[in-house]
Amino acid sequence: MLALATVGFALNFWAWALLSPLGPAFKDGLHLTSFEQSLLVAVPVVVGSLGRVPVGALTDRFGGRLLFSLVSAATTVPVLYLGLAGHSSLTTLLVGGFFLGIGGTAFAVGVPLVNAWFPPDRRGLVVGVFGVGMGGTAISALTTVKLVDAHGMATPFLITAVVLAVYAVVAALLLRDAPARTVPIAPLGRRLAATARLGITWQASALYGVTFGGYVAFSVYLPTYLKAGYGLAQADAANRMAGFVLLAVVMRPVGGWLSDRLGPRRVLAGSLAVVAVGAVVQAFTPPLAPLGTLAFLAMAAGLGAGSGATFALVALVSPADQVGSVTGVVGAAGGLGGFVPPLVMGSLYDTYGSYAAGLALLAVIAAAALVYTVTGVRTAAEGSEPGRRDGPRTVDTPA
């Protein structure tokens, strides 16, 4: 079940990220401003993020098997539209990108599904392994531009649509929900209200908005940054973005595994410190080889490990029948965290001709999240960290 869910997550994220590698091409071909290009790649992110809230709650109620199949099938529609007819203007791209956001909700389906199959002391690693599916964005980065150059604009979209349709059938036939999973019976609105009253919901949302939000922002905007800031060709920039994504993907289960042993709070603190230092270095736009590359790789490792640690915290502290709902809200915060930075970066570049201010802002935000981790998150996490016998102390209190 973990393997099937991870594959489904990766395929939906592959579809979710199809527009990002083509952003520079659309900018040149449709004569878009930097802000319009940023908006184009950000729309699927915000829709997929907000959609996680109801999809996570529905997964708690109806199970991951049904929701994975439905989400995968529904995502094929905008993928086909974009490939066949939706890439001729900014308006049609925005419409297709809006519905492409459905693929981004798959995260809120998979976390409660895999979480229910494993005991608490293994959930950090398990959710981290599932999080490897975010590497679907790397598939998009490595293949989309090459397929378009070789076979035309429709090709990557048609291939992705076929693969998603096949997975929707496989999910319906083979995926199973854990027999002992807790099924809530309260109405959706009441369950979401209860989720909003949990301290862990807002604490994890703030941290995931920085860690996963930073990952999403770089995964959709890094090709544009590298082309504008360093003059790289589109294919070269996309390949380097794929390297960033792959390292973050690898570090996500590492962050979960370390959280099972050291506690999520300690792993989060270390990860955020690495991100802050990397952002400070890159704010000075050093030469790409080697210092700039090292700064980006350090940030990728920190953001990946931090994302894994955040959901290790969610899996450990959230009530069993609300994991999907909490995941939906926290996942939405992470996606929204990735929506704003590309818009800010595009606006700053249009105004100042430099990305330095945007990276400096990232460093400040990462440092603030670090301070919050070692202070505000303490009460939610300490009782559940390894070596302590008492339970979580603030799980039922408002943030």
Side-chain angles (χ1 to χ4, degrees), residues 206-207 210-211 268-269 272 364-374 377:
L207 295 170
V210 177
T211 55
L268 272 164
L272 290 165
V364 171
I365 292 172
L370 169 60
V371 172
Y372 179 63
T373 297
V374 298
V377 180

Side-chain angles (χ1 to χ4, degrees), residues 11 60 77 112 120 134 137 158 167 176 179 235 253 268 299 330 333 359 366-367 373 375-376 385 389 396:
L11 295 179
D60 280 338
V77 177
M134 70 185 189
T137 56
L158 293 176
Y167 180 79
R176 294 290 182 271
L268 272 164
M299 287 189 285
V330 176
L359 286 157
T373 297
T375 55
E385 288 188 336
R389 296 173 182 266
D396 289 320

Side-chain angles (χ1 to χ4, degrees), residues 36 59 157 252 286 308 335 340 343 356:
E36 288 172 335
T59 302
F157 295 93
R252 183 155 182 157
V340 176
L343 300 179

Side-chain angles (χ1 to χ4, degrees), residues 309-352:
T310 302
F311 265 93
L313 180 65
V314 169
L316 203 61
V317 178
S318 301
D321 62 345
Q322 292 179 266
V323 173
S325 298
V326 174
T327 296
V329 176
V330 176
L336 290 174
F339 171 74
V340 176
L343 300 179
V344 173
M345 295 287 273
S347 297
L348 289 173
Y349 188 79
D350 282 342
T351 303
Y352 301 108

